[in-house]
Amino acid sequence: MLDMIMQCKGRFPNRLIRKHIISYQILRKQPHFDPEQFKFRKFQNDIMTNETVMKLITVKDRPVKSIQAILSNSSTGGMVEMEQRVRQLGTLLERTLVLDPSKRMSPAQALQSPFFQQN
């Protein structure tokens, strides 16, 4: 899930990654990021050995996918109203999931979005 979020929103700021690493160390859990390089630890099953393998992934600073594109690919095509609702949901998610709180949509603004205004 973190991998998909970073693909859609870009790399997490180092400050946020440091806080994550410190909190996971306090909880005695393995953090999702490498403490030295701040690379994302991605766990996958090896198809040959069926063992879990950890890879350090360098996440791009800029998003490589949009939430709207992911939603559009998963929606059933053909219905204009459904496609419009998917676009509205994608816009709403993009604006509410902004990492910088000063740029993020407030809950009151989210409730005024076209996605919630339709019956």
Side-chain angles (χ1 to χ4, degrees):
M1 181 60 95
L2 277 178
D3 186 30
M4 184 172 283
I5 291 171
M6 289 186 293
Q7 287 178 17
C8 294
K9 304 308 287 177
R11 188 177 187 281
F12 291 123
N14 284 346
R15 174 180 49 89
L16 190 61
I17 294 173
R18 273 190 224 106
K19 287 182 179 182
H20 162 76
I21 291 170
I22 291 169
S23 64
Y24 266 58
Q25 287 172 343
I26 291 170
L27 295 171
R28 295 189 176 132
K29 289 186 162 189
Q30 184 178 14
H32 298 287
F33 295 88
D34 180 62
E36 296 170 6
Q37 301 174 351
F38 290 172
K39 291 185 177 183
F40 179 63
R41 292 178 174 169
K42 186 172 184 173
F43 292 91
Q44 296 176 318
N45 281 339
D46 186 318
I47 57 173
M48 298 298 274
T49 62
N50 205 23
E51 293 180 9
T52 303
V53 179
M54 192 252 322
K55 295 181 181 180
L56 291 177
I57 306 292
T58 301
V59 179
K60 298 183 188 270
D61 290 337
R62 303 244 183 248
V64 293
K65 292 182 180 179
S66 75
I67 294 174
Q68 290 179 340
I70 293 170
L71 290 174
S72 295
N73 288 340
S74 65
S75 71
T76 57
M79 296 190 303
V80 175
E81 291 177 21
M82 182 62 82
E83 290 176 9
Q84 180 182 7
R85 295 287 289 159
V86 167
R87 281 194 303 276
Q88 291 171 346
L89 176 61
T91 302
L92 177 66
L93 289 173
E94 289 281 353
R95 294 188 64 207
T96 56
L97 296 175
V98 172
L99 293 176
D100 184 355
S102 65
K103 296 178 183 176
R104 188 179 307 140
M105 178 187 271
S106 71
Q109 291 170 325
L111 291 174
Q112 297 303 316
S113 76
F115 182 77
F116 290 118
Q117 295 303 313
Q118 292 183 351
N119 292 332

